[in-house]
Amino acid sequence: MRPSGGSVRHDLTLLTSDDLDRFASGFHYRLWECLGSHVLDSAGGRGTLFAVWAPGARAVEVIGDFNGWLPGRNPLELRGSSGIWEGFVPGARAGDLYKYRVVSAKGGKVRQKADPMARRSEVPPQTASVVTEDRFRWSDEEWMAGRARRNSLRSAISIYEVHLGSWRTPLDGRRWFGYREIAGPLADYVTDACFTHVELLPVMEHPFYGSWGYQVTGYFTPTARYGSPEDLKHLIDHLHRCGIGVILDWVPSHFPTDPHGPGLFDGSHLYEHPDPMLGFHPDWNSYIFNYGREEVRSFLGSNALYWLEEYHADGLRVDAVASMLYRDYSRAEGEWTPNELGGRENLEAVEFLRRLNAEAHLRYPDVMMIAEESTAWPMVSRPVENGGLGFGLKWDMGWMHDILEYLAKDPAQRRYHHSDLTFRQLYAFTENFVLPFSHDEVVHGKGSLWTRMAGDGRKKMANLRLLFGCMYAQPGKKLLFMGGEFGQRREWDHESTLDWQLLGDPAHEGIRRWLRDLNRLYRSEPALHELDCESAGFEWVAPDDHLQSVISFLRRSRDGREAFLIVCNFSPVVRRDYRVGVPWEGAWRERLNSDAAEYGGAGFGNLGRVETDPHPFHGRASSLSLTLPPLSAIFLQGQEARVG
């Protein structure tokens, strides 16, 4: 370790008085530009400027490679009453490891802390921060210029959710691939599967690999397990150049208690709420941010915008929003305190989310802010100015649970649970929904999606194809966790790769082809996506055929001239001469059939097209006589006849 290049200087700063005011008022959204570590040139030579918020400290100094990790060499100076300590260390350079040595004002306890604003960190289990300089040059101009169209609510959005460490693993004994290594294979695979976006489980630095990234200590730091910040930018840049959007999971709901992390940073409850009923999460044994503290709002708001700005993320999926909204979330009576109005809502968290979403959409109107929110909180995906939380999309957890429970039932029992298929349409357009089959559905003893389907192996495959067909037919954007697209049989394990060898089995290869073709049709046909979030795009034909376990409905294009008839048969019986009323006479093309032989089915169907006959049915003048394959979804396309 080399000695310090000289004593700390306090005459250099990146913090203006305006920065300090905005930070203290909760409206600073670019803190990464003035806090943390920054390599600078000064009259005395090159070095690094350090700045950290620690208002409860008696003293703060920076220790690291540049001073032999010895205390007393590089103390920082308090900037007025702001609570920010800063100083310039000559000779400290990019690549140097460092931490802050923080002495509490109360009790004088000494803590060594990683930098909450660090932009790079050591590879876990090591915990030091790393001085870094950004030298990356983006080449995704074409993607960024056209992003608004790709992220529009009227565009096809089909998301492939990925845990980078276990999607594929090396054969040479290494534990995982790096960001750069995985960029090409991931882009090729997603392109072939026709997904529009990739969603990455949290890539922010997390000490416990088994948390999958949901226990974050380095909020501004990509996990070093897979490489450097530039390596992650390369991955995103490559995906963009291949026409694939990137959504990042973001966790502002809680953070772990690891001693190097933000918790008790200066000996006080700085980032976390001091009241354990508001500041500690019983489900995850984690701290909860103090959403009412303005500096914390600046920290979290800056962090969200950091990933949108510096990493060109096309959206953030905000984790565990319900846990932020309710003071009594996962708490028994007596374990929570009401708000100032006597209610259970966390008013400070609500205000934070509204502020954040308004600012994100103001600065980046072409990005998606997506809420994982599992309750009936109203207007989650409605604009702040209209009284909403301001998200663009919300996960539909209710539909996901209903249909998985339904398809786990023996087909003989399904007629008694038909409302599980139809209930969604009572609320389907109250929010802008994503239909998610996420990682949460294939862990903690739940088994895989394949495992959860009723029946033997062949029927499980048919039910799984039916599940995906129903998902793509429903209004709403789509999300599927990796492995589901080829019918992974075992529960997901973050320590091992997906079971890619299953693609050698024709049944699993059939599932993969079915997902690919669903994505292709969904993306290419406006009637299946452009009114995903508008009631004009959906119309029941027959929601009430519970005796035969069949539902049928229409998806319409915006101009009303084109429609898809989707018929789903949830029984293992071939239904011949099944009559369905349709809006237009003429030929209806069978575009997709989940029972086709190429997908692993038995090959029942309608030979590619069906002509209407003048048999009134379902209140319509014309109808079709269909063959419904067992446990199947079929997509038939019709078009209004044009006069002249």
Side-chain angles (χ1 to χ4, degrees), residues 210-451:
S211 77
W212 316 326
Y214 290 99
Q215 293 280 11
V216 178
T217 51
Y219 272 81
F220 290 80
T221 306
T223 179
R225 292 176 177 87
Y226 313 132
S228 69
E230 290 78 12
D231 293 337
L232 175 57
K233 291 179 180 180
H234 170 84
L235 168 61
I236 296 172
D237 190 63
H238 184 77
L239 289 168
H240 281 175
R241 287 187 285 113
C242 293
I244 301 164
V246 180
I247 299 165
L248 300 181
D249 263 13
W250 184 58
V251 191
S253 50
H254 60 98
F255 63 95
T257 60
D258 295 67
H260 70 284
L264 294 171
F265 188 81
D266 57 6
S268 70
H269 294 287
L270 190 60
Y271 291 92
E272 67 274 16
H273 199 287
D275 181 349
M277 292 189 181
L278 290 169
F280 192 80
H281 207 296
D283 280 359
W284 303 306
N285 292 320
S286 300
Y287 289 124
I288 301 172
F289 284 102
N290 185 352
Y291 303 109
R293 187 161 191 170
E294 300 294 1
E295 295 91 343
V296 173
R297 293 185 183 188
S298 287
F299 173 83
L300 288 173
S302 290
N303 185 242
L305 269 60
Y306 172 76
W307 295 102
L308 299 176
E309 172 75 21
E310 297 293 326
Y311 284 83
H312 289 199
D314 302 295
L316 299 177
R317 176 267 194 184
V318 184
D319 182 62
V321 171
S323 74
M324 300 171 66
L325 294 176
Y326 298 98
R327 287 175 170 234
D328 63 344
Y329 186 88
S330 287
R331 296 179 191 271
E333 191 167 344
E335 296 178 347
W336 63 281
T337 56
N339 63 37
E340 61 190 39
L341 302 177
R344 56 196 282 253
E345 301 82 8
N346 188 329
L347 301 178
E348 295 81 7
V350 171
E351 175 61 20
F352 162 70
L353 289 171
R354 285 175 170 161
R355 260 197 220 179
L356 169 64
N357 285 322
E359 192 68 26
H361 286 125
L362 177 66
R363 292 174 183 248
Y364 311 101
D366 56 352
V367 304
M368 293 181 283
M369 299 294 288
I370 306 169
E372 186 221 7
E373 203 285 311
S374 55
T375 75
W377 187 281
M379 301 180 70
V380 171
S381 58
R382 296 295 181 258
V384 171
E385 57 268 27
N386 294 341
L389 287 183
F391 288 95
L393 289 159
K394 169 184 168 169
W395 279 19
D396 189 346
M397 312 286 277
W399 172 82
M400 176 269 295
H401 286 300
D402 285 349
I403 197 165
L404 286 177
E405 287 184 10
Y406 180 88
L407 285 169
K409 291 178 169 61
D410 186 284
Q413 300 299 315
R414 289 177 180 175
R415 64 172 62 184
Y416 306 112
H417 302 274
H418 198 71
S419 62
D420 287 347
L421 300 176
T422 60
F423 178 73
R424 177 176 192 257
Q425 295 311 316
L426 297 177
Y427 68 85
F429 303 103
T430 60
E431 303 277 3
N432 303 325
F433 281 116
V434 176
L435 307 180
F437 294 122
S438 74
H439 65 281
D440 281 329
E441 308 319 312
V442 294
V443 292
H444 301 318
K446 296 176 184 175
S448 65
L449 293 180
W450 181 88
T451 303

Side-chain angles (χ1 to χ4, degrees), residues 151-168:
N151 287 351
S152 166
L153 291 178
R154 288 188 167 172
S155 293
I157 296 175
S158 176
I159 304 165
Y160 186 56
E161 189 187 30
V162 174
H163 177 258
L164 283 175
S166 59
W167 181 67
R168 284 183 180 166

Side-chain angles (χ1 to χ4, degrees), residues 11-131:
D11 58 331
L12 289 177
T13 184
L14 293 174
L15 285 158
T16 66
S17 57
D18 182 57
D19 287 319
L20 298 177
D21 290 343
R22 286 187 290 124
F23 176 50
S25 66
F27 286 95
H28 202 309
Y29 292 100
R30 300 183 71 86
L31 282 178
W32 71 90
E33 295 180 337
C34 51
L35 294 181
S37 61
H38 296 271
V39 177
L40 299 174
D41 291 314
S42 72
R46 197 162 176 79
T48 299
L49 178 67
F50 296 91
V52 62
W53 180 52
R58 177 194 305 167
V60 179
E61 57 185 314
V62 60
I63 54 175
D65 290 343
F66 41 81
N67 60 21
W69 294 87
L70 297 175
R73 296 202 172 186
N74 295 121
L76 304 182
E77 186 174 90
L78 185 61
R79 178 75 176 269
S81 60
S82 67
I84 295 175
W85 300 76
E86 60 181 342
F88 180 78
V89 179
R93 62 193 183 193
D96 282 347
L97 307 180
Y98 72 98
K99 284 187 177 181
Y100 294 116
R101 185 175 184 272
V102 184
V103 183
S104 301
K106 293 183 179 179
K109 184 173 180 178
V110 177
R111 293 174 172 83
Q112 289 192 12
K113 291 286 191 176
D115 188 347
M117 298 292 304
R119 289 166 292 134
R120 187 173 181 179
S121 64
E122 275 191 291
V123 179
Q126 305 305 314
T127 59
S129 302
V130 182
V131 177

